[in-house]
Structures are given as C-alpha cells and as structure tokens.
Amino acid sequence: MKRTLLKPAAVAGALLLALAACGTDSGDSSSDSGSGGFTAPDVPMKKSLGETEGEVSILAWPGYAENGSSDPKVDWVTPFEKKTGCKASVKTFNTSDEAVTLMKTGEYDVVSASGDASLRLIASGDVQPVNTDLLTNYADISSFLKDRDWNSVDGQMYGMPHGWGANLLMYRTDTVKPAPTSWSAVFDEASTYDGKVTAYDSPIYIADAALYLMNTQPDLGIKNPYALDQDQLAAAVDVLKKQKESVSEYWSDYLKEIQAFTTGDSVIGTTWQVIVQVAQGEKVPVQAILPDEGSTGWSDTWMVKADSDHSNCAYAWLDHMASPETQAAVAEWFGEAPANLKACDLTSDPKHCDNYHAGDSSYADKIWYWTTPVEQCIDGRKDVKCTNYGDWTQAWTEVKG
C-alpha cells in the first residue's frame, strides 16, 4: 500500500508531499476480539519503565513525525526531545512493504504501521507486545481502536493506536445523477461512467470488492473482507477485472486524483475525506459518502521493535504521540480523525473532528479497517486456508494486467 499525505485546506489551504477498519456491516465492530488469527511468536513484553536512553530511531509515514522542517509551525518532535531527553532521528517511508523491509534491518525502534503491515511485523517477531499499563495516554484512546485484528493477537495489544479514516465514494455532482448510495456505482454499474471510474492502486483494494460481494452475494460466505479463501478471492478478482473495463486510472497520488476530478477525466471513485475537502476548496463540484454497505478504512499503530535498545524512549514516543496536543497537531496536518478525542478541543479548526467523524462510533462501526490477509482465517474458520498478502499481491497484478 502507498499512501498520499496531504495538509487539509482547512488548516492552511496548502498541500504537503506524498504519503495511509475491522467493523461489521451490522454496525457491531465491538464484537471483534482482535485475535489476529494466529499465534504470535514469544517476544518478551516490557514490564516497567526505566531511565530514557537518550535517543530513539523512528520510522514513519511522511507527516507523522514533523520537526518543523516542513513548516516551522508544525513541530511535535522538538517538544518530545526537550521533555524526554530522547534525541529523535526520523526516516520516512512511502509504502507498507518498504516499512516492513526497513524494520527487518533492526535499525529502527518504532514504526507507524498500517493494518496491511502490522500483522506481518507481529508474525515475523519484529515487534514486541506493548504493555499499555505503562502508557499514560492509552486510557484516552477511542475504544473502537483497541484490541482489533490489525493491532492485537489473542487480546494482547502490539502498539498505540494512531489516527484513522474511511475510504469514501467521491463523485462529481454535476455529472453523477442521481447521487449514489452504494458501491454498486463503481462495480456492477461502473459501465454507466465508462472510462471515468477511478480506484485505489493497491492489493488491499481487493477488500473493497470483497466487502461489496459480502453484501450482495451472501452465498459466497464472506464474513470478513480480509479473510478470503481461494474461491472468494477469485470472485473478488472477477469483480475488479470487470470494473477495470471502466477505470480511467488507478490512483495512489492524491494530486493526480484531484486533477482527474477537476478535468472530468474521473467522475466517481474511492477517496479519503481530506481529498474531498481539498478538492472542494479548489471549487471542484464533488461530494463523498460512506455507502450503504459500509467501507474499508485505515487505522495506523505505533509499534516497538522486538529487541529495541531504546525501549524507554520508544514508550515515551508512543505516549507523546497519543497526547491530546500531539494528536490535534497530527490530525490536522495529516488529515485524519485523532485516536484521542481530547484532541478535538485543541484543533485550530473547531469542526475538524466533526468533519472526520472522530467521535462517531456508529460511523466507525461501518468501517472494515485495513488488516493484513494471513493464511489463518481471521473470521474464525478452521477448516480452510485463507489467502495471504502475497496471494493478494499476485491477484492485484492480474487485475491490472
């Protein structure tokens, strides 16, 4: 997965450089225990905090660890260093695959892992279980982001939840009429907008097709869009191959998507809330919805290297990133809902949390957050083997041709 980072128009009307829900369609995501679908390696968990080690190496999506170099007013790394005495070195990455590869070098103490990377890091033993009792701000994190399939195994958390967001359906209001209410507009009815449909460019987008099939073809038996056996994956691939006939382009660069909607080369397709706001700020006639079937989405997690030599500084970083002040700053700069709702009182835009549905648990319950596909079916099935991320990567190559 590759994400595109933006700075919302609501903050400064400008953009940054590039960059990232398991719920249920019945709205009861809390029933998901976050088993992870496998037995995690025996990696020790930190029992207590000690003196900080003076340094910490951070691997992050662009925009998640700002030190003022992008904008002097945007800096939460320097306050962290002054408060903890931990000198922070930051390296950014552009894809989840890149993050996984870099973590395997052993050079980084913490990483902001998206749901299509986190389980891979847990299963390989590259990250450690996190003792949430040692994190002051963990109690203030929204409950629907805790103990989930992408950040925990057998009830054990493996990190500090960060921001989150939904993958929405955006359309040009002057072209797409009547207004869509379902993902059918870009799947079964995609030919209505032949050559003007856009879709997200990543293997994880297969889950969008799987979610649609889960709602429209119940006989397939899909219970979780990230837990697909071979037949279910094949069905999702068929949907995407048919959709491809009407696709104008697959996007991973937000600028290209905005440009395509501006020119009318694309009139309908998947997007993020922050992209909607930027496009509307540039007077592009677009709206976006969370369709009737619900949606996929993303929630990132700060994770700690399994054998980190700077684990006290690493824990200090996790706590700092979960504080209301930092959450408010990151949420506005990056364009997402904060995980800590106390941040909502501190955003410069008083409507930020409303725009991103930060405190709306019923909205969040409609989202199936990106989760790494693994062979052990995370939907509870024991009699079949599910497809893994490698299978999805190969399938996505077949879809795009």
Side-chain angles (χ1 to χ4, degrees):
M1 172 191 60
K2 181 176 181 178
R3 299 193 308 185
T4 303
L5 169 69
L6 358 140
K7 179 180 178 182
V11 179
L15 300 176
L16 286 177
L17 285 174
L19 191 115
C22 246
T24 69
D25 57 347
S26 65
D28 184 18
S29 65
S30 62
S31 63
D32 183 352
S33 65
S35 67
F38 62 92
T39 299
D42 186 14
V43 177
M45 182 174 69
K46 194 173 181 65
K47 301 300 183 184
S48 61
L49 295 176
E51 293 186 8
T52 54
E53 302 88 357
E55 61 181 301
V56 63
S57 181
I58 299 165
L59 190 59
W61 288 108
Y64 269 13
E66 291 293 308
N67 63 2
S69 58
S70 297
D71 185 327
K73 297 179 181 179
V74 181
D75 182 359
W76 46 89
V77 170
T78 301
F80 164 77
E81 292 176 326
K82 290 180 178 179
K83 179 180 179 180
T84 65
C86 302
K87 178 65 177 177
S89 61
V90 179
K91 179 177 177 57
T92 59
F93 58 86
N94 291 313
T95 70
S96 288
D97 287 347
E98 183 183 354
V100 171
T101 299
L102 288 170
M103 280 300 289
K104 289 185 179 299
T105 67
E107 298 178 11
Y108 304 96
D109 297 300
V110 296
V111 59
S112 60
S114 293
D116 60 342
S118 50
L119 289 190
R120 285 188 278 170
L121 292 171
I122 296 171
S124 61
D126 289 314
V127 294
Q128 62 181 262
V130 166
N131 188 340
T132 57
D133 290 339
L134 303 179
L135 298 169
T136 304
N137 291 302
Y138 183 77
D140 294 327
I141 297 298
S142 295
S143 60
F144 57 80
L145 299 177
K146 298 176 180 178
D147 301 314
R148 305 306 302 274
D149 275 343
W150 67 90
N151 60 22
S152 70
V153 176
D154 291 333
Q156 172 60 56
M157 284 293 292
Y158 275 77
M160 175 70 86
H162 189 69
W164 62 278
N167 296 315
L168 303 174
L169 178 61
M170 182 166 72
Y171 61 97
R172 279 192 62 122
T173 56
D174 59 344
T175 304
V176 179
K177 298 179 180 180
T181 60
S182 165
W183 285 112
S184 62
V186 293
F187 289 127
D188 287 343
E189 301 165 17
S191 61
T192 304
Y193 314 103
D194 190 30
K196 294 184 180 294
V197 175
T198 187
Y200 189 54
D201 190 3
S202 170
I204 208 68
Y205 182 65
I206 292 172
D208 291 57
L211 176 61
Y212 181 64
L213 289 173
M214 189 169 73
N215 284 272
T216 58
Q217 296 187 32
D219 290 348
L220 287 171
I222 299 174
K223 303 299 182 183
N224 183 314
Y226 304 101
L228 306 179
D229 59 34
Q230 288 289 350
D231 291 340
Q232 292 166 341
L233 176 62
V237 167
D238 286 344
V239 169
L240 293 171
K241 285 182 176 179
K242 181 173 178 58
Q243 181 197 51
K244 184 178 184 296
E245 299 172 4
S246 302
V247 169
S248 54
E249 66 175 353
Y250 294 98
W251 70 273
S252 61
D253 184 330
Y254 72 91
L255 290 174
K256 290 183 179 179
E257 185 181 31
I258 293 173
Q259 179 63 24
F261 272 84
T262 299
T263 61
D265 290 338
S266 294
V267 299
I268 192 168
T270 186
T271 194
W272 299 323
Q273 178 62 40
V274 67
I275 297 176
V276 178
Q277 290 183 224
V278 172
Q280 290 175 338
E282 296 182 358
K283 308 304 181 183
V284 183
V286 296
Q287 292 288 345
I289 61 166
L290 185 72
D292 293 340
E293 302 90 350
S295 180
T296 59
W298 46 270
S299 170
D300 294 339
T301 305
W302 285 104
M303 311 183 85
V304 180
K305 175 187 171 186
D307 57 350
S308 171
D309 291 330
H310 312 104
S311 60
N312 292 308
C313 280
Y315 267 67
W317 176 259
L318 265 59
D319 230 2
H320 175 71
M321 292 304 296
S323 69
E325 296 79 9
T326 307
Q327 284 273 298
V330 180
E332 286 198 289
W333 179 252
F334 184 79
E336 62 187 1
N340 186 339
L341 294 183
K342 289 184 177 180
C344 296
D345 292 331
L346 303 176
T347 54
S348 59
D349 177 7
K351 295 183 179 180
H352 179 87
C353 283
D354 289 338
N355 291 337
Y356 287 85
H357 304 273
D360 189 347
S361 60
S362 63
Y363 181 91
D365 283 347
K366 298 176 182 177
I367 302 171
W368 291 81
Y369 297 92
W370 282 338
T371 304
T372 310
V374 294
E375 290 184 358
Q376 297 84 354
C377 299
I378 60 174
D379 61 1
R381 286 180 292 172
K382 305 296 184 183
D383 56 339
V384 298
K385 178 187 292 185
C386 276
T387 52
N388 60 30
Y389 191 75
D391 298 323
W392 284 39
T393 300
Q394 180 178 348
W396 185 242
T397 300
E398 295 174 4
V399 168
K400 295 183 65 178

